[in-house]
Amino acid sequence: ARQDYIRNFSIIAHIDHGKSTLADRLIESTGMLTKREMEQQVLDSMDLEKERGITIKLKAVRLIYQAQDGHEYTFNLIDTPGHVDFSYEVSRSMAACEGALLVVDATQGVEAQTLANVYLALDEDLEILPILNKIDLPSQRCDEVVQEIEDIIGLPAADAPRVSAKTGLNIDQVLEAIVRDIPAPNGDEDAPLKALIFDSNYDSYKGVICYVRIFDGQVKVGDTIQMMNTKKSFEVVEVGVNANGHIPLDQLRAGDVGYITASIKEVRDAQVGDTITLKNRPTDKPLKGYKKVSPMVYCGIYPAEGEEYTEIRDALEKLKVNDAALDFEAETSAALGFGFRCGFLGLLHMEIIQERLEREFDLNLITTTPSVIYHVMTTDHELLEIQNPSNLPDPSEIEYMEEPIVRAEIMTPTDYVGAIMELCQNRRGVFIDMQYLEETRAQITYDLPLNEVIYDFFDALKSKTRGYASFDYDLKGYQQSDLVKMDILINQQVVDAFSLIVHRDKAYERGRKICERLTDAIPRHQFAVPIQAAIGSKIIARETIRALRKDVLSKCYGGDISRKKKLLEKQKEGKKRMRSIGNVDIPQEAFLSVLKYD
Ligand code: GTP
């Protein structure tokens, strides 16, 4: 049957194990694109992603493969992001597949996100095909890594292809393994239409483009489709597949992965995870939906000096179009004026949105100290959810507070176990378990307050383990905790954008560090600027930025003119992202410096 020659799969991996590189090789070896087109990586098309080396938005691509059995196969490769912040997108794309290629770096072995991704794939009942990558590197230890895959994950891996995605070595084995081991789809072409939207984006000509996997039935131009969740109906304008651009087709049928456009103007009418059916011949039940994703980390986003509030709103609306996890609403800050409270899946998600706003929309932003969602029980027995420290009720009205706790799995070479335990202990972690995966690798489990994880935990972990440890976490629940609100005063004035909620035992240390950092980050003014940390009316730390005595240029007294120019340029640059609060100019770095722990 037709579907016997279709394979729908994604590639999963720990970050940097070579997922995108392997995808490129598969695209190249199926001959769909020319060498020249390959020069621009196809799957990682966003500039930002390339620089960060992280695949953010998933995309599907169709490949044609002439197998050794003489048949022509259609491969639909669905790209997935690898980072823990994006696991919801991973499961979205997996639901559209029958199988997953599990790329494991043969020099690194199984890591935290390798395992996390495997669990997601197992949840979706995917056939998992291990692949050992980077065998061109002399430090590869394939045999040990095979053992790890078998012991830790429990997948047979003795016959797993051993490849170099970089050089292309043994890629043919991967292609044949896809044909041989990944099950073909087996939907019912004659049943009513049942299609899953696994991604969407907005095109100014075509409206919303829905990326779909057809499970049952067929869809063609002119059909009236209905979204089962929102109940909205649309007439199909175009169907097709993604293969180096959109290729329109007459129809899509059970087993296919492709796109549908239907003059859909509002993105919320084509929600990712919704099931599409035909209006006059609907299927009886929608597909199992995705788990709803909710933001875990919030921060304020405000215009820097001279930026427009409305431009930020327009940009956030555009980004939200294909980022269901991004959440925002208007808020005002006493210090910063009108802006937005934005919710993110995690810190990386937050940084990426920030960068996209700045680069793609050319905006200058100020972001405030990130916060998690706290539960506050008031003395009136009302339960509040607080994601902005400024909204915390007066301490006299608080019965108790709870904070989110995550269960963190850390994988590491045994050499670093001590350093990691010290780090976790420092961050109020509670030790749960440690297991030796093999002689030289261990898996450590800790419960950690999310509030501690969002302050550069990841960076600290990487630097303490020279990049060797990997980390993944899941929200476990809420726990009562002795928390206080800490305010930062600049020139005697509370700057609400800096306020944060901290554990009481950590307040002094944090307060002192923040004051020190702000002293470094805020330029000197004509007058002395005191920086203070306070809990309520009690000052717990203080630093002073000394007044500027002389003109900066006097530093270059007698110096050559180009040096002066450089200095002025530098000052101008530094000005770009400033906000003056009271009469103190605060550069954006100052807002970020509050985040850094050590
Ligand atoms: P994310 O998209 O960030 O999740 O990473 P990824 O898993 O897609 O990894 P990517 O393909 O970007 O590869 C990470 C790095 O490993 C890049 O610098 C690649 O050039 C390199 N790399 C990938 N495959 C190989 C390989 O077979 N051999 C060698 N030596 N390097 C490789």
Side-chain angles (χ1 to χ4, degrees):
R2 192 186 69 96
Q3 288 180 71
D4 292 344
Y5 301 102
I6 299 177
R7 297 292 181 271
N8 299 318
F9 61 93
S10 57
I11 308 180
I12 55 180
H14 186 77
I15 213 148
D16 275 348
H17 280 201
K19 175 167 57 69
S20 306
T21 312
L22 178 66
D24 287 347
R25 281 302 85 69
L26 295 180
I27 291 169
E28 194 180 52
S29 25
T30 47
M32 187 194 75
L33 294 172
T34 64
K35 274 258 190 256
R36 192 166 53 82
E37 284 164 334
M38 280 308 298
E39 279 165 16
Q40 302 155 324
Q41 284 202 354
V42 178
L43 286 176
D44 274 13
S45 57
M46 275 195 279
D47 275 356
L48 183 62
E49 290 182 40
K50 231 180 269 172
E51 273 171 45
R52 288 178 157 270
I54 293 169
T55 312
I56 303 164
K57 284 301 296 180
L58 53 99
K59 280 279 166 308
V61 63
R62 187 207 58 177
L63 311 169
I64 304 298
Y65 175 59
Q66 294 293 338
Q68 284 166 11
D69 64 9
H71 290 287
E72 186 181 90
Y73 286 82
T74 298
F75 287 176
N76 292 304
L77 164 56
I78 295 172
D79 196 24
T80 61
H83 192 271
V84 36
D85 277 8
F86 300 101
S87 62
Y88 79 106
E89 291 196 344
V90 179
S91 62
R92 254 200 297 179
S93 56
M94 283 180 183
C97 302
E98 277 79 32
L101 311 184
L102 175 68
V103 179
V104 181
D105 184 329
T107 69
Q108 304 284 332
V110 173
E111 301 200 56
Q113 285 153 36
T114 313
L115 211 52
N117 280 318
V118 165
Y119 291 147
L120 291 173
L122 292 174
D123 280 349
E124 299 296 339
D125 280 331
L126 301 191
E127 183 70 32
I128 301 173
L129 235 107
I131 291 166
L132 285 85
N133 189 31
K134 307 202 186 180
I135 61 161
D136 57 302
L137 294 175
S139 55
Q140 59 100 347
R141 39 185 193 93
C142 278
D143 294 332
E144 284 167 51
V145 173
V146 162
Q147 203 57 46
E148 274 182 42
I149 296 173
E150 299 197 336
D151 293 348
I152 303 173
I153 306 182
L155 286 172
D159 299 329
R162 300 179 176 198
V163 312
S164 167
K166 190 168 168 187
T167 67
L169 181 68
N170 294 339
I171 297 301
D172 49 333
Q173 291 182 16
V174 178
L175 293 163
E176 284 299 315
I178 293 168
V179 168
R180 187 183 62 235
D181 297 333
I182 293 180
N186 65 345
D188 182 352
E189 281 188 18
D190 301 319
L193 176 66
K194 195 179 259 195
L196 171 74
I197 308 179
F198 63 85
D199 196 8
S200 71
N201 60 27
Y202 190 82
D203 178 285
S204 41
Y205 296 103
K206 298 179 178 176
V208 178
I209 300 173
C210 302
Y211 294 94
V212 295
R213 159 69 197 271
I214 314 287
F215 281 90
D216 285 326
Q218 338 195 345
V219 58
K220 59 182 190 309
V221 175
D223 283 348
T224 302
I225 51 171
Q226 182 164 47
M227 308 295 173
M228 294 190 77
N229 183 25
T230 62
K231 306 273 183 288
K232 295 260 169 83
S233 306
F234 301 93
E235 190 181 312
V236 175
V237 175
E238 188 177 312
V239 301
V241 296
N242 247 4
N244 192 22
H246 287 156
I247 302 178
L249 297 175
D250 296 337
Q251 60 183 346
L252 293 175
R253 289 184 279 175
D256 286 343
V257 172
Y259 69 90
I260 299 178
T261 71
S263 303
I264 305 171
K265 290 283 168 284
E266 301 281 346
V267 175
R268 71 175 101 91
D269 290 338
Q271 286 165 350
V272 166
D274 203 348
T275 302
I276 300 180
T277 192
L278 290 183
K279 187 170 169 62
N280 47 22
R281 198 188 162 213
T283 180
D284 52 350
K285 265 215 309 279
L287 292 154
K288 165 174 87 112
Y290 298 100
K291 68 172 181 218
K292 189 178 163 341
V293 289
S294 25
M296 301 234 272
V297 178
Y298 284 80
C299 80
I301 291 190
Y302 289 85
E305 215 72 65
E307 262 322 319
E308 284 294 329
Y309 163 86
T310 49
E311 285 175 15
I312 297 184
R313 188 193 54 212
D314 292 349
L316 282 169
E317 267 165 13
K318 288 206 179 96
L319 288 183
K320 177 143 181 70
V321 162
N322 51 13
D323 191 343
L326 173 66
D327 197 22
F328 68 93
E329 58 180 45
E331 75 167 3
T332 43
S333 147
L336 300 172
F338 291 106
F340 298 92
R341 194 82 195 159
C342 302
F344 308 94
L345 295 168
L347 273 196
L348 179 71
H349 188 214
M350 179 175 107
E351 278 172 42
I352 285 170
I353 294 292
Q354 236 162 275
E355 266 185 62
R356 291 188 64 187
L357 287 170
E358 297 194 336
R359 289 211 212 165
E360 292 170 32
F361 298 91
D362 202 19
L363 296 168
N364 283 324
L365 306 172
I366 299 289
T367 48
T368 67
T369 316
S371 171
V372 300
I373 302 175
Y374 295 95
H375 289 171
V376 176
M377 181 58 82
T378 68
T379 44
D380 295 340
H381 298 288
E382 194 186 349
L383 186 69
L384 306 176
E385 291 195 352
I386 301 287
Q387 25 105 330
N388 182 347
S390 303
N391 298 338
L392 197 68
D394 188 83
S396 65
E397 292 164 23
I398 297 175
E399 181 92 31
Y400 63 85
M401 282 176 76
E402 290 179 339
E403 64 178 332
I405 305 290
V406 297
R407 172 141 302 177
E409 305 280 357
I410 301 165
M411 287 189 162
T412 176
T414 42
D415 293 355
Y416 303 109
V417 166
I420 291 172
M421 291 178 107
E422 192 188 324
L423 172 68
C424 291
Q425 226 70 46
N426 260 330
R427 302 294 176 97
R428 299 192 281 130
V430 175
F431 175 82
I432 301 296
D433 186 28
M434 178 164 92
Q435 280 180 350
Y436 283 89
L437 302 170
E438 2 157 31
E439 226 162 275
T440 54
R441 279 162 65 78
Q443 176 171 356
I444 312 174
T445 309
Y446 261 90
D447 282 354
L448 284 159
L450 180 60
N451 155 313
E452 300 283 339
V453 174
I454 67 172
Y455 296 113
D456 79 345
F457 180 84
F458 195 59
D459 289 347
L461 180 70
K462 286 283 168 198
S463 76
K464 286 196 192 315
T465 63
R466 294 172 51 215
Y468 281 117
S470 59
F471 160 72
D472 195 49
Y473 66 82
D474 262 323
L475 187 64
K476 188 184 154 219
Y478 272 76
Q479 210 168 72
Q480 210 164 316
S481 181
D482 188 10
L483 300 161
V484 289
K485 177 174 163 220
M486 181 160 75
D487 290 319
I488 303 295
L489 291 81
I490 294 183
N491 209 13
Q492 317 289 354
Q493 195 184 338
V494 173
V495 179
D496 59 357
F498 285 130
S499 296
L500 67 164
I501 292 171
V502 287
H503 193 269
R504 194 181 298 276
D505 296 347
K506 293 266 163 180
Y508 284 87
E509 191 195 334
R510 284 300 292 282
R512 193 168 42 79
K513 282 204 175 127
I514 290 174
C515 288
E516 279 168 14
R517 284 185 188 282
L518 287 177
T519 310
D520 289 340
I522 297 174
R524 290 165 75 177
H525 287 64
Q526 302 295 337
F527 44 90
V529 180
I531 311 274
Q532 296 161 303
I535 296 174
S537 57
K538 188 171 164 214
I539 302 293
I540 59 168
R542 181 192 164 107
E543 294 279 333
T544 304
I545 304 176
R546 281 180 299 133
L548 195 63
R549 299 268 154 176
K550 294 192 187 92
D551 190 289
V552 228
L553 287 185
S554 65
K555 272 193 206 153
C556 308
Y557 187 76
D560 64 295
I561 193 82
S562 68
R563 246 185 92 193
K564 283 186 189 171
K565 258 201 193 137
K566 232 184 187 165
L567 203 59
L568 285 173
E569 286 295 317
K570 241 187 161 165
Q571 282 190 313
K572 221 165 67 199
E573 250 176 46
K575 273 231 173 66
K576 267 202 271 165
R577 295 183 195 165
M578 291 262 203
R579 276 300 290 250
S580 29
I581 291 174
N583 46 4
V584 179
D585 289 333
I586 305 182
Q588 188 188 35
E589 303 86 78
F591 290 89
L592 295 178
S593 70
V594 178
L595 269 180
K596 299 276 183 249
Y597 226 101
D598 306 302

